[in-house]
Amino acid sequence: MDILGPIGPIDTEMAVEFRRQGVLGRLLSGIHYILPDPPVSAAARLFALPAHDAVDRISCLPEALLGNIVSRLPVKDAARTAALSSRWRGVWRSSPLILVDADLLPVDGTAGARADARRVTSSVSCVLAAHPGPFRCVQLTSSYMEEFRGPLTRWLELLAANGIQELVLISRRWSLDIVIPATFLDMATLTSLYLGLWKFPDTADLPRASSFPNLRELGLCGIFMKSEDLDYILDRSPVLETLYVETNLFKLRLRLVSQSLRCVLLIGCFFEETFVVDAPSLERLILSEACIPNDSCTKVKIGYAPKLHLLGCLELDPGTQVLEVGNTVIKVPDLSLFHSIKLINNQYKFEDLIWYTSNSKST
């Protein structure tokens, strides 16, 4: 397995240098930028008794509607509704759980403060244990996971047992030593999964039967993994529509064979080869801010992708990047035009919109 030059592995000295340069902070900022918005609002508030009206009208609503209201509140406020009256006592526990651990931070705290992070970790354990499920959405981004490996394993077991649908799991420390428990591979109910700053478990000895039959959106950010690991999860995601990979540290090869995949975004990565073998639903393939070591070259090869209309090979450099579409090899110093691509009689026809570079302008 090849590691990309000075980026890894991350030892103590390099970690100190990264902190000095703010590398981890920038990476975390980038990861949080691409995370899906949680289905709750931190600004949401519940007022059962409006100031101008002494009648508690909210409590008279049907229970299904009360559950919908509670599900839009930050988890600490949602759980507190049980104290409003007997009418509200079971509403939170009977509604699908939405947990965003950042909402558990003190108002004047930050996710980077370890004392606050420890309190959040304790609160997460309490919430997951108290709620009987199902779990709709859980976003865990505020804990130093390496300090809580026991609780993390238990969390993942609870998530799997309670039918988690949308999961965001971001570590706050970047290390080759922090392996995400393989329990997440048993979450067959997942529709959306984002992982950040983990070492992927070795898939060589994992059960071949593991699968994500409902997974439609997958984000892998700063993940230490091999090409075989990436193949493992893609091969077991038959309805995956969106794949997002950011800042891989190992040289990877990406081979796309998918009937469902519609959009692939590779940001700040180095893939020796990205080969779209058979992807009849693929519409967008975007490669941005590629990290290409010295004396290396990356190849993008398009096989069968009849619906592909946006191919973003940003900063295409003839010395480091090669684009092959069908039987046509494209290696030019400056792509300044936008084109499109169509498959006609098994031959690609270049028309209005195929690829673009960072310096391109539409025509």
Side-chain angles (χ1 to χ4, degrees):
M1 182 190 309
D2 293 325
I3 297 176
L4 301 186
I7 299 180
I10 300 175
D11 54 23
T12 302
E13 182 178 347
M14 186 170 294
V16 171
E17 180 62 17
F18 273 16
R19 281 195 293 270
R20 187 185 69 81
Q21 296 181 7
V23 172
L24 181 57
R26 291 196 299 273
L27 179 57
L28 281 170
S29 295
I31 291 175
H32 282 269
Y33 180 78
I34 62 95
L35 292 181
D37 292 331
V40 297
S41 169
R45 293 293 181 268
L46 179 64
F47 296 95
L49 292 173
H52 64 279
D53 193 343
V55 179
D56 178 6
R57 302 183 187 281
I58 295 182
S59 295
C60 297
L61 295 173
E63 188 157 337
L65 190 52
L66 293 181
N68 188 291
I69 293 172
V70 168
S71 69
R72 298 172 188 273
L73 297 172
V75 66
K76 58 185 177 182
D77 295 328
R80 288 171 182 162
T81 59
L84 291 177
S85 69
S86 58
R87 178 76 173 88
W88 288 85
R89 191 162 298 151
V91 173
W92 176 68
R93 284 173 50 84
S94 63
S95 304
L97 177 67
I98 297 176
L99 169 59
V100 179
D101 69 350
D103 292 338
L104 298 170
L105 289 166
V107 175
D108 57 347
T110 66
R114 284 186 179 266
D116 289 339
R118 292 188 182 98
R119 285 192 287 271
V120 167
T121 300
S122 177
S123 297
V124 168
S125 294
C126 292
V127 170
L128 295 181
H131 200 288
F135 294 171
R136 176 188 164 192
C137 174
V138 174
Q139 295 194 0
L140 304 175
T141 64
S142 303
S143 292
Y144 289 87
M145 300 294 184
E146 77 279 6
E147 298 181 4
F148 307 102
R149 299 196 186 193
L152 174 61
T153 300
R154 178 58 179 156
W155 292 352
L156 295 180
E157 290 172 351
L158 286 170
L159 294 174
N162 286 281
I164 182 65
Q165 295 180 23
E166 302 170 24
L167 176 61
V168 173
L169 191 59
I170 308 297
S171 176
R172 297 201 62 80
R173 182 170 174 262
W174 213 9
S175 171
L176 284 170
D177 298 328
I178 307 177
V179 181
I180 183 172
T183 315
F184 82 93
L185 294 169
D186 297 325
M187 298 178 182
T189 53
L190 277 174
T191 60
S192 174
L193 174 63
Y194 279 77
L195 303 174
L197 303 184
W198 295 99
K199 182 178 180 181
F200 207 82
D202 188 353
T203 57
D205 299 322
L206 292 178
R208 299 291 101 184
S210 297
S211 67
F212 295 99
N214 300 293
L215 189 64
R216 297 185 179 278
E217 187 173 355
L218 174 63
L220 302 170
C221 310
I223 300 294
F224 298 97
M225 66 191 314
K226 299 174 291 185
S227 296
E228 295 84 353
D229 301 328
L230 186 55
D231 291 340
Y232 181 94
I233 194 169
L234 293 180
D235 290 346
R236 285 157 181 77
S237 305
V239 297
L240 187 67
E241 296 180 353
T242 301
L243 172 65
Y244 183 98
V245 183
E246 180 182 16
T247 316
N248 65 299
L249 297 191
F250 297 137
K251 296 179 181 179
L252 297 176
R253 291 176 179 269
L254 178 60
R255 187 174 181 271
L256 296 177
V257 179
S258 171
Q259 298 300 302
S260 59
L261 202 58
R262 298 178 58 192
C263 179
V264 176
L265 299 94
L266 310 176
I267 311 297
C269 299
F270 174 51
F271 284 87
E272 289 184 298
E273 182 178 74
T274 300
F275 185 9
V276 181
V277 180
D278 184 10
S281 300
L282 187 64
E283 300 172 1
R284 292 176 290 168
L285 175 60
I286 300 173
L287 303 89
S288 177
E289 302 174 16
C291 176
I292 303 175
N294 294 333
D295 302 320
S296 297
C297 183
T298 181
K299 182 178 183 180
V300 179
K301 184 176 180 180
I302 309 299
Y304 183 71
K307 293 185 178 180
L308 184 65
H309 63 79
L310 178 58
L311 176 55
C313 295
L314 305 188
E315 302 173 6
L316 195 60
D317 185 316
T320 59
Q321 293 182 323
V322 176
L323 172 62
E324 182 176 333
V325 181
N327 297 319
T328 303
V329 176
I330 302 169
K331 189 175 181 181
V332 295
D334 180 28
L335 294 178
S336 58
L337 298 179
F338 285 72
H339 295 287
S340 78
I341 185 169
K342 288 186 179 180
L343 185 66
I344 300 176
N345 296 326
N346 293 320
Q347 296 294 323
Y348 283 98
K349 181 180 179 182
F350 298 88
E351 293 185 343
D352 277 337
L353 227 135
I354 272 197
W355 66 75
Y356 62 88
T357 70
S358 59
N359 296 319
S360 298
K361 297 181 179 179
S362 59
T363 60

